[in-house]
Structures are given as C-alpha cells and as structure tokens.
Amino acid sequence: MKGKSRLLMVLAALGPLGLSAQGIADVVAGLEKTGCYEADASFSVSLPQSESDVVYNVKLSSAPTVGDRLSPCGYVTEWTLDTPSGPVKGFSAYFDGHHYRYRNERLQEYHTEWDSIPFMPRGNSAGVQASAQFTDLYPAFIAQELMAMDKDSLYTVSVNPNAMFDGRKAIEIKSVMKVSDVTAMEKRFFFDASSMLPLRIDTESNPGQITEQSMLVTYRYPAEMHCPELSETALTESYPEVFEKYRENNFRIENLAGTQLPTFSLPTTTGERYTYHRGDSFASPTVIALLDPTAGFNVELVSAVRDAVDRLPSQTDVIWVFNSTNIDAIEGVVSAIRPGEHLLMNGKSLARDCGAASLPVVIMADSKGKVKNVVLGFNNELGNVVLQTMALVD
C-alpha cells in the first residue's frame, strides 16, 4: 500500500497529463493536433533605450495541411502597428506551395511551380513560408520550435506541469540558450493545460547586454474556431487594392531601383536605434551597404565605398547594415565609424524587405529615399559605380 500511495502522489504531482520526462513530447503532440485555429495576439517589443514599446496587434488564422512537406499548416496572418503617422498594416499567407507577404506598399509572392528554392531551408535560415513575420506564433510552428530546442545542446529546457496563468491551469516550458557560457536567450511558454493552446510567450534576448530585447506575446481566443479559406481568390478578395496596386510577382532586389526604400528600425552597435520610415527624407544622399560579416571582400567593399564618398563634391552619408548581432565580428569589418556614417546590426529584416537573396548589396538613394542604383556583390568597379551614381543625385 505504501508503494501504491507513493505512486499516486507522484502521478498527482505530475498533473492531469502525467508529464514527466515526456513533458515536451506531450505538449508538442497537443500542439500538432490543433485543427482549425484562430486567435488575436498582442506582440510587444521592449528595448532598454526606448521610452515606449513597439506593439503589434496580430490576427492569426490557420488550417491543418495534409502531406505538405513545406509547412505544418496553411495560414493567413494580418497585423497592425500604430505609429505617430497612423496605423501600418500588413499580411502574410501560405497554402499549397504558394506564399504571399505584404508590407511597406510591397507585395511579394512566391510559388513553388515558378521557383522552389526560396521555400527550402538554407543553413540556419528557414524557407520563406516559415520565416514570415509572426509565423512562429502558430501552434504548429511552436511545436517545431520546441522539438528543435529539446534536441539542441545549446538549450536547457524544463517543464512545469502545475503552473497557473490568468487563473487557469497551465503548463510552463522554460528554455535557456547559452553560447560559451553566456546566456543568449531566455524563453517561457505558457499553454492551457487541457487544450494545449498557447497563452503567453516571453522572450529575453541577450539579457543584461546593450543589445537586450524583450518580447511578450499574449493570446486571446474566440468562443469557436473556424478554418480560413486558403486560396488566391479569397486573398485577393480580402485585399483587392493591394493586389491591384502592388503585385510584382517574386520581388527581387534587382527591381529595387526607382522605388522608395522600405521602412526599417534597427539597433546600432552602441545600443541606440536608427529608424527610417518609407517616404521620409534623409539629411543627404545616402549609401546603404547590406553586409554579412562572415562573407568575403567586406574590407575591400568598405574601402571602395568610403573612397568614392570622399571623392564626391557634396555630403553623402553611409549606413552600414549587418545581418548579424555579433558586435566583435561587425567591428572587425567596420572598426570605427566616420562623420556621416551609421553602423547597424540585426538587419536581416531590411535585407528581406529589399528582396536581397544574398549579401553583400550596396544600395544608393537620393535624399528623398528613392533608390537610384543597386550593386549586387563586390567587384572592382564598385567604387566607380558609387561615385558616378551619387554624383548625379541630390
């Protein structure tokens, strides 16, 4: 009897699902069983140097996919960001090998029958259908994230099956990522104990460092959930103006010339933030260099751009944008900035919005933010191209 009583006590402590060493597997299984899904989510980003949070209101809708190896679900994601100049809206969608994303008055679309490469993961980068903004908030994608963290030696993952959230029984999963004994990320998930639906996600990136960033996601659910209609017809009916005005079919950076630079807001290596809104003016004509610190010819590129700028008859600013947050690697390329220069990091979103599939890329814009020329990669004529282009803009 004593042995049986002890067993019952252990089972009670583990909660209704009997979560133990298999706790993560049970949560993943519950998330994977999510059928038609709808939720409203608040996604807020806090930065130590910022006086106010950046808050997105996100509408999530998804449906299960059967036999689709590219995505665990089809989805339509709609988001709104309130800004001083008014609300900014966008959306993304995936179904049956088709992906659409709209933001900053640019509609990008990808179709596997045209080109399957953008859908394939490369290194640590997911395909376009899985890397769209807010895709990681869906239960099916959270399941993939949890499985990946559980298998990765950089993460320490723990499960609390007896947590509480907003007065209801919940399951808490905490993960800590350490790189060279330095905590790079702390993340906490709360799931409803009975339905396994996500309730809240807290993320702390680079805690205690100048690049620290906090993200908080909270979910709200309707009384009943329905599957979205996933088709191009339904999407064009929901956004007729977007498809009429901005359809460009697989936007690539080669098509950037003649358009306005997209909105971006990126951290500097010194802990501040540089923000540019589409349609705003720069103080002077500006060269934007998108760089990967691990790529070759970075030093030569920086030298060529600077030499060209020094030879121009009027002021021209330079924005160095790196796709990395490794400050040592970034400063190994640009060790010190000069007057009129800005050094930004974590610029993957800007590269994505410009349609850049690979780096480096040098973008030349006039003072009104209109792109005049683009150079892909590095070549010995880069300095001359920058000099000739920027000498003719104002």
Side-chain angles (χ1 to χ4, degrees), residues 213-267:
Q213 179 175 277
S214 300
M215 291 179 288
L216 171 63
V217 182
T218 55
Y219 293 81
R220 299 179 304 279
Y221 292 105
E224 295 183 3
M225 294 191 185
H226 304 90
C227 281
E229 184 178 347
L230 298 174
S231 68
E232 185 173 289
T233 299
L235 205 58
T236 55
E237 288 177 353
S238 297
Y239 297 97
E241 184 177 1
V242 170
F243 277 84
E244 180 181 351
K245 283 187 175 182
Y246 305 113
R247 192 165 203 178
E248 296 178 354
N249 291 349
N250 278 16
F251 183 82
R252 296 181 181 275
I253 197 164
E254 293 92 333
N255 302 324
L256 191 63
T259 68
Q260 292 293 128
L261 278 168
T263 297
F264 61 94
S265 182
L266 300 173

Coordinates of all heavy atoms in Angstrom, one line a residue, residues 213-267:
Q213 N 16.8 42.7 -25.6 CA 15.5 42.9 -26.2 C 14.5 42.0 -25.6 O 14.8 40.8 -25.4 CB 15.6 42.7 -27.7 CG 14.3 42.9 -28.4 CD 14.4 42.8 -30.0 OE1 14.8 43.7 -30.6 NE2 14.1 41.6 -30.5
S214 N 13.3 42.5 -25.2 CA 12.3 41.7 -24.6 C 11.1 41.7 -25.5 O 10.7 42.7 -26.1 CB 11.9 42.3 -23.2 OG 12.9 42.4 -22.4
M215 N 10.5 40.5 -25.7 CA 9.3 40.3 -26.5 C 8.2 39.6 -25.7 O 8.6 38.6 -25.0 CB 9.6 39.6 -27.8 CG 10.4 40.4 -28.7 SD 10.8 39.4 -30.3 CE 12.0 38.2 -29.6
L216 N 7.0 40.1 -25.7 CA 5.9 39.5 -25.0 C 4.8 39.3 -26.0 O 4.3 40.2 -26.7 CB 5.5 40.4 -23.8 CG 4.2 40.0 -23.1 CD1 4.4 38.6 -22.4 CD2 3.8 41.0 -22.1
V217 N 4.3 38.0 -26.0 CA 3.1 37.7 -26.8 C 2.0 37.2 -25.9 O 2.2 36.3 -25.1 CB 3.5 36.6 -27.8 CG1 2.2 36.3 -28.7 CG2 4.6 37.0 -28.7
T218 N 0.8 37.8 -26.0 CA -0.3 37.2 -25.3 C -1.4 37.0 -26.3 O -1.6 37.7 -27.3 CB -0.8 38.3 -24.2 OG1 -1.1 39.5 -24.9 CG2 0.2 38.5 -23.1
Y219 N -2.2 35.9 -26.0 CA -3.2 35.4 -27.0 C -4.6 35.6 -26.4 O -4.8 35.5 -25.2 CB -3.0 33.9 -27.2 CG -1.8 33.5 -28.0 CD1 -0.5 33.4 -27.3 CD2 -1.8 33.2 -29.3 CE1 0.6 33.0 -28.0 CE2 -0.7 32.8 -30.0 CZ 0.5 32.7 -29.3 OH 1.7 32.3 -30.0
R220 N -5.6 35.8 -27.3 CA -7.0 35.9 -27.0 C -7.7 35.0 -28.0 O -7.4 35.1 -29.2 CB -7.5 37.3 -27.0 CG -6.9 38.2 -26.0 CD -7.5 39.6 -26.1 NE -7.4 40.2 -27.5 CZ -6.3 40.7 -28.0 NH1 -5.2 40.8 -27.3 NH2 -6.3 41.2 -29.2
Y221 N -8.7 34.2 -27.5 CA -9.3 33.2 -28.4 C -10.8 33.5 -28.5 O -11.5 33.9 -27.5 CB -9.1 31.8 -27.8 CG -7.6 31.4 -28.0 CD1 -6.8 31.3 -26.9 CD2 -7.1 31.0 -29.2 CE1 -5.5 31.0 -27.0 CE2 -5.8 30.7 -29.4 CZ -5.0 30.6 -28.2 OH -3.7 30.3 -28.4
P222 N -11.4 33.2 -29.7 CA -12.9 33.3 -29.8 C -13.6 32.1 -29.2 O -12.9 31.1 -28.8 CB -13.1 33.3 -31.3 CG -11.9 32.5 -31.8 CD -10.8 32.8 -30.9
A223 N -14.9 32.2 -29.1 CA -15.6 31.1 -28.5 C -15.6 29.8 -29.4 O -15.6 28.7 -28.9 CB -17.1 31.5 -28.3
E224 N -15.6 30.1 -30.7 CA -15.5 29.0 -31.7 C -14.4 29.3 -32.7 O -14.2 30.5 -33.0 CB -16.8 28.7 -32.4 CG -17.9 28.3 -31.5 CD -19.2 28.0 -32.3 OE1 -19.1 28.1 -33.5 OE2 -20.2 27.7 -31.7
M225 N -13.7 28.3 -33.2 CA -12.7 28.5 -34.2 C -13.1 27.9 -35.5 O -13.7 26.9 -35.6 CB -11.4 27.8 -33.7 CG -10.7 28.4 -32.5 SD -9.1 27.8 -32.2 CE -8.7 28.6 -30.6
H226 N -12.7 28.6 -36.6 CA -13.0 28.2 -37.9 C -11.8 28.2 -38.8 O -10.9 29.0 -38.5 CB -14.1 29.1 -38.5 CG -15.4 29.2 -37.7 ND1 -15.5 30.2 -36.7 CD2 -16.5 28.5 -37.7 CE1 -16.7 30.0 -36.2 NE2 -17.3 29.0 -36.8
C227 N -11.8 27.4 -39.8 CA -10.6 27.4 -40.7 C -10.7 28.5 -41.7 O -11.8 28.9 -42.2 CB -10.6 26.1 -41.5 SG -10.0 24.6 -40.6
P228 N -9.6 29.2 -42.0 CA -9.7 30.2 -43.0 C -9.8 29.6 -44.4 O -9.4 28.5 -44.6 CB -8.3 30.9 -42.9 CG -7.4 29.8 -42.4 CD -8.3 29.0 -41.5
E229 N -10.3 30.4 -45.3 CA -10.4 30.0 -46.7 C -9.0 30.3 -47.3 O -8.6 31.4 -47.4 CB -11.5 30.7 -47.5 CG -11.6 30.2 -48.9 CD -12.7 30.8 -49.7 OE1 -13.6 31.5 -49.0 OE2 -12.8 30.7 -50.9
L230 N -8.3 29.2 -47.7 CA -6.9 29.4 -48.2 C -6.9 29.2 -49.7 O -6.8 28.1 -50.2 CB -6.0 28.4 -47.5 CG -5.9 28.5 -46.0 CD1 -5.1 27.3 -45.4 CD2 -5.3 29.8 -45.6
S231 N -6.9 30.4 -50.4 CA -6.8 30.4 -51.8 C -6.5 31.8 -52.3 O -6.7 32.7 -51.6 CB -8.2 30.0 -52.5 OG -9.2 31.0 -52.3
E232 N -5.9 31.9 -53.5 CA -5.6 33.2 -54.0 C -6.8 34.0 -54.2 O -6.8 35.2 -54.0 CB -4.8 33.1 -55.3 CG -4.3 34.4 -55.8 CD -3.3 34.3 -57.0 OE1 -2.2 33.9 -56.8 OE2 -3.8 34.7 -58.1
T233 N -7.9 33.4 -54.6 CA -9.1 34.1 -54.8 C -9.6 34.8 -53.6 O -10.0 35.9 -53.6 CB -10.2 33.1 -55.4 OG1 -9.8 32.6 -56.6 CG2 -11.5 33.9 -55.6
A234 N -9.6 34.0 -52.5 CA -10.0 34.6 -51.2 C -9.1 35.7 -50.7 O -9.5 36.7 -50.2 CB -10.0 33.5 -50.1
L235 N -7.8 35.5 -51.0 CA -6.8 36.5 -50.6 C -7.0 37.8 -51.4 O -7.0 38.9 -50.8 CB -5.4 36.0 -50.7 CG -4.3 36.6 -49.8 CD1 -4.6 36.4 -48.4 CD2 -3.0 36.0 -50.1
T236 N -7.2 37.7 -52.7 CA -7.4 38.9 -53.5 C -8.7 39.6 -53.2 O -8.8 40.8 -53.3 CB -7.3 38.5 -55.0 OG1 -8.3 37.5 -55.3 CG2 -5.9 38.1 -55.4
E237 N -9.7 38.8 -52.8 CA -11.0 39.4 -52.4 C -10.9 40.2 -51.1 O -11.5 41.2 -50.9 CB -12.1 38.4 -52.3 CG -12.5 37.8 -53.6 CD -13.5 36.7 -53.5 OE1 -13.8 36.3 -52.3 OE2 -14.1 36.2 -54.5
S238 N -10.0 39.7 -50.2 CA -9.8 40.4 -48.9 C -8.9 41.6 -49.1 O -9.1 42.6 -48.4 CB -9.1 39.4 -47.9 OG -9.9 38.3 -47.6
Y239 N -8.0 41.6 -50.1 CA -7.1 42.7 -50.3 C -7.0 43.1 -51.7 O -6.0 43.1 -52.4 CB -5.7 42.3 -49.8 CG -5.6 42.0 -48.3 CD1 -5.6 40.7 -47.9 CD2 -5.4 43.1 -47.4 CE1 -5.6 40.5 -46.5 CE2 -5.4 42.8 -46.0 CZ -5.4 41.5 -45.6 OH -5.4 41.2 -44.3
P240 N -8.2 43.6 -52.3 CA -8.2 43.9 -53.7 C -7.2 45.0 -54.1 O -6.6 45.0 -55.2 CB -9.7 44.3 -54.0 CG -10.2 44.7 -52.6 CD -9.5 43.8 -51.7
E241 N -7.1 46.1 -53.3 CA -6.3 47.2 -53.6 C -4.8 46.8 -53.6 O -4.0 47.3 -54.4 CB -6.5 48.3 -52.6 CG -5.8 49.6 -52.9 CD -6.1 50.7 -51.9 OE1 -6.9 50.5 -51.0 OE2 -5.5 51.8 -52.1
V242 N -4.4 46.0 -52.6 CA -3.0 45.5 -52.5 C -2.6 44.8 -53.8 O -1.6 45.1 -54.4 CB -2.8 44.7 -51.3 CG1 -1.4 44.0 -51.3 CG2 -3.0 45.5 -50.0
F243 N -3.5 43.8 -54.2 CA -3.1 43.0 -55.4 C -3.2 43.9 -56.7 O -2.4 43.6 -57.6 CB -4.0 41.8 -55.5 CG -3.6 40.7 -54.6 CD1 -4.0 40.6 -53.3 CD2 -2.8 39.7 -55.1 CE1 -3.5 39.6 -52.5 CE2 -2.4 38.6 -54.4 CZ -2.8 38.5 -53.0
E244 N -4.0 44.9 -56.7 CA -4.1 45.7 -57.9 C -3.0 46.7 -58.0 O -2.4 46.8 -59.1 CB -5.4 46.5 -57.9 CG -5.6 47.4 -59.1 CD -6.9 48.2 -59.0 OE1 -7.8 47.9 -58.1 OE2 -7.1 49.1 -59.9
K245 N -2.6 47.2 -56.9 CA -1.5 48.3 -56.9 C -0.1 47.8 -56.8 O 0.8 48.3 -57.4 CB -1.8 49.3 -55.8 CG -2.9 50.3 -56.0 CD -2.9 51.3 -54.9 CE -3.9 52.4 -55.2 NZ -3.9 53.4 -54.1
Y246 N 0.1 46.7 -56.0 CA 1.4 46.4 -55.6 C 1.9 45.0 -56.0 O 3.0 44.6 -55.6 CB 1.6 46.5 -54.1 CG 1.1 47.8 -53.5 CD1 0.0 48.0 -52.8 CD2 1.8 49.0 -53.9 CE1 -0.4 49.2 -52.3 CE2 1.4 50.2 -53.4 CZ 0.3 50.3 -52.6 OH -0.1 51.6 -52.2
R247 N 1.1 44.3 -56.8 CA 1.6 43.0 -57.2 C 2.8 43.1 -58.1 O 2.8 43.7 -59.2 CB 0.4 42.3 -58.0 CG 0.7 40.8 -58.1 CD -0.5 40.0 -58.5 NE -0.4 38.6 -58.1 CZ -1.3 37.7 -58.3 NH1 -2.5 38.1 -58.8 NH2 -1.1 36.5 -58.0
E248 N 3.9 42.4 -57.7 CA 5.1 42.5 -58.5 C 5.6 41.1 -58.9 O 6.6 40.9 -59.6 CB 6.2 43.2 -57.7 CG 5.8 44.7 -57.5 CD 6.8 45.4 -56.7 OE1 7.8 44.8 -56.2 OE2 6.7 46.6 -56.6
N249 N 5.1 40.0 -58.2 CA 5.5 38.6 -58.5 C 7.0 38.4 -58.2 O 7.8 38.7 -59.0 CB 5.2 38.3 -60.0 CG 3.7 38.2 -60.3 OD1 2.9 38.2 -59.4 ND2 3.4 38.1 -61.5
N250 N 7.2 37.8 -57.1 CA 8.6 37.5 -56.7 C 9.5 38.7 -56.7 O 10.5 38.7 -57.5 CB 9.1 36.3 -57.5 CG 8.7 35.0 -57.1 OD1 7.7 34.9 -56.3 ND2 9.3 34.0 -57.5
F251 N 9.2 39.7 -55.9 CA 10.0 40.9 -55.8 C 11.5 40.5 -55.5 O 11.8 39.8 -54.6 CB 9.5 41.8 -54.8 CG 10.3 43.1 -54.8 CD1 10.0 44.1 -55.7 CD2 11.3 43.3 -53.9 CE1 10.7 45.3 -55.7 CE2 12.1 44.5 -53.9 CZ 11.7 45.5 -54.8
R252 N 12.4 41.0 -56.3 CA 13.8 40.8 -56.1 C 14.5 42.1 -56.0 O 14.1 43.1 -56.5 CB 14.4 40.0 -57.2 CG 13.8 38.6 -57.3 CD 14.5 37.8 -58.4 NE 13.9 36.4 -58.5 CZ 14.3 35.4 -57.8 NH1 15.3 35.5 -57.0 NH2 13.7 34.2 -58.0
I253 N 15.7 42.1 -55.4 CA 16.4 43.4 -55.2 C 16.8 44.0 -56.5 O 17.0 45.3 -56.6 CB 17.6 43.2 -54.3 CG1 18.1 44.5 -53.7 CG2 18.7 42.4 -55.0 CD1 19.0 44.4 -52.5
E254 N 16.9 43.3 -57.6 CA 17.2 43.8 -58.9 C 16.2 44.8 -59.3 O 16.4 45.7 -60.2 CB 17.4 42.7 -59.9 CG 18.5 41.8 -59.7 CD 18.2 40.6 -58.9 OE1 17.2 40.7 -58.1 OE2 18.8 39.5 -59.1
N255 N 15.0 44.7 -58.7 CA 13.9 45.6 -59.1 C 13.7 46.8 -58.1 O 12.7 47.5 -58.2 CB 12.5 44.8 -59.1 CG 12.6 43.7 -60.1 OD1 13.2 43.8 -61.1 ND2 11.9 42.6 -59.7
L256 N 14.7 46.9 -57.2 CA 14.5 48.0 -56.2 C 14.7 49.4 -56.7 O 14.1 50.3 -56.2 CB 15.5 47.7 -55.0 CG 15.3 48.5 -53.7 CD1 14.0 48.2 -53.1 CD2 16.5 48.2 -52.8
A257 N 15.6 49.5 -57.7 CA 15.9 50.9 -58.3 C 14.6 51.5 -58.8 O 13.7 50.9 -59.4 CB 16.9 50.8 -59.4
G258 N 14.4 52.8 -58.4 CA 13.2 53.5 -58.8 C 12.1 53.5 -57.8 O 11.1 54.1 -58.0
T259 N 12.3 52.7 -56.7 CA 11.3 52.6 -55.6 C 11.8 53.3 -54.4 O 13.0 53.7 -54.3 CB 10.9 51.2 -55.3 OG1 12.1 50.5 -54.7 CG2 10.6 50.4 -56.6
Q260 N 10.9 53.5 -53.4 CA 11.3 54.1 -52.2 C 11.9 53.0 -51.2 O 11.4 51.9 -51.3 CB 10.1 54.7 -51.5 CG 9.5 55.9 -52.1 CD 10.4 57.1 -52.1 OE1 10.7 57.7 -53.1 NE2 10.9 57.5 -50.9
L261 N 12.9 53.4 -50.5 CA 13.4 52.5 -49.5 C 12.3 52.1 -48.5 O 11.5 52.9 -48.1 CB 14.6 53.2 -48.7 CG 15.9 53.2 -49.4 CD1 16.9 54.1 -48.6 CD2 16.5 51.8 -49.4
P262 N 12.3 50.8 -48.1 CA 11.3 50.3 -47.1 C 11.6 50.9 -45.8 O 12.7 51.3 -45.4 CB 11.5 48.8 -47.2 CG 12.9 48.6 -47.6 CD 13.2 49.7 -48.6
T263 N 10.6 50.9 -44.9 CA 10.8 51.2 -43.5 C 11.7 50.3 -42.8 O 11.6 49.1 -43.0 CB 9.4 51.3 -42.8 OG1 8.6 52.3 -43.4 CG2 9.5 51.5 -41.3
F264 N 12.6 50.8 -41.9 CA 13.4 49.9 -41.1 C 13.7 50.6 -39.8 O 13.8 51.8 -39.7 CB 14.6 49.4 -41.8 CG 15.6 50.5 -42.2 CD1 16.6 50.9 -41.4 CD2 15.4 51.2 -43.4 CE1 17.5 51.9 -41.8 CE2 16.3 52.2 -43.8 CZ 17.4 52.6 -43.0
S265 N 13.9 49.8 -38.8 CA 14.2 50.3 -37.4 C 15.2 49.2 -36.8 O 14.7 48.2 -36.4 CB 13.0 50.5 -36.5 OG 13.4 51.0 -35.3
L266 N 16.5 49.6 -36.8 CA 17.5 48.6 -36.4 C 18.4 49.1 -35.3 O 18.6 50.3 -35.2 CB 18.3 48.2 -37.6 CG 17.6 47.6 -38.8 CD1 18.5 47.5 -40.0 CD2 17.0 46.3 -38.4
P267 N 18.9 48.2 -34.4 CA 19.8 48.7 -33.4 C 21.2 49.0 -33.9 O 21.7 48.4 -34.9 CB 19.9 47.5 -32.4 CG 19.6 46.3 -33.3 CD 18.6 46.8 -34.4

